[in-house]
Amino acid sequence: MRVMNKFFLTAHILAAILCVGPVTVAASMFPPVARRMLTAQTPDAGGLQVLHRITKVYAWAGLAVPLFGFALAGGIGVMDEAWLIVSIVLTLLAALVLAFLVVPTQSSVLAVADATNEVRSGVLSKAKLLSMTTGIFGLLWLIVLVLMVIRPGHTRG
């Protein structure tokens, strides 16, 4: 079983780097680009569309992270440890923030890209709020990472 645990650990870390990293970066880049687009005389939403697509695609791909994480946790017998349970809850919370706050707000910003200046300026507050929600999303992942590395209260080798 040791070889499978190493495989699951490798896949879990690789998925986190390749999936969670890009979605976090794309989501955090979106608000400042959106603010520039919303205040421009001639808006160009091309960059925003790419960032939004990256956010959505890598969010789905990021489901591999908890999938491999559960397999690993089951294999090494830590499913009942507090650090893991807190990590699972925070991961779920990050997914909910992404699915119900970040992605829909990105969509609403993109929807007004071709609108008049007045309509675009009305959505500017959403873009500013998006900075906060993407920051929360990133912070949740940072806390999960710290819990995974430090494993406070870990009782097994």
Side-chain angles (χ1 to χ4, degrees):
M1 208 51 188
R2 244 172 127 77
V3 173
M4 286 306 293
N5 290 341
K6 288 181 181 182
F7 167 77
F8 288 137
L9 177 61
T10 303
H12 179 64
I13 292 170
L14 186 63
I17 292 167
L18 296 179
C19 299
V20 176
V23 74
T24 304
V25 170
S28 66
M29 288 175 63
F30 191 96
V33 174
R35 284 192 300 273
R36 283 194 300 275
M37 186 272 304
L38 291 169
T39 57
Q41 290 297 334
T42 55
D44 178 16
L48 285 179
Q49 291 168 342
V50 170
L51 292 172
H52 183 57
R53 190 174 318 118
I54 290 169
T55 302
K56 290 191 312 185
V57 169
Y58 281 88
W60 283 107
L63 293 174
V65 176
L67 177 75
F68 288 117
F70 277 118
L72 174 63
I76 61 175
V78 294
M79 288 296 290
D80 61 342
E81 298 236 359
W83 63 270
L84 182 66
I85 294 167
V86 171
S87 294
I88 291 168
V89 169
L90 293 176
T91 298
L92 178 61
L93 186 57
L96 293 172
V97 166
L98 185 65
F100 293 107
L101 296 174
V102 174
V103 172
T105 304
Q106 286 182 349
S107 296
S108 67
V109 168
L110 280 171
V112 300
D114 296 327
T116 64
N117 284 342
E118 295 80 30
V119 172
R120 286 196 325 259
S121 66
V123 178
L124 190 57
S125 63
K126 280 188 177 183
K128 291 177 181 176
L129 184 62
L130 188 58
S131 294
M132 183 184 70
T133 41
T134 56
I136 291 169
F137 174 72
L139 180 62
L140 288 168
W141 278 116
L142 174 64
I143 295 168
V144 169
L145 173 65
V146 169
L147 287 171
M148 292 287 158
V149 171
I150 296 175
R151 300 184 295 179
H154 181 62
T155 58
R156 296 172 186 93

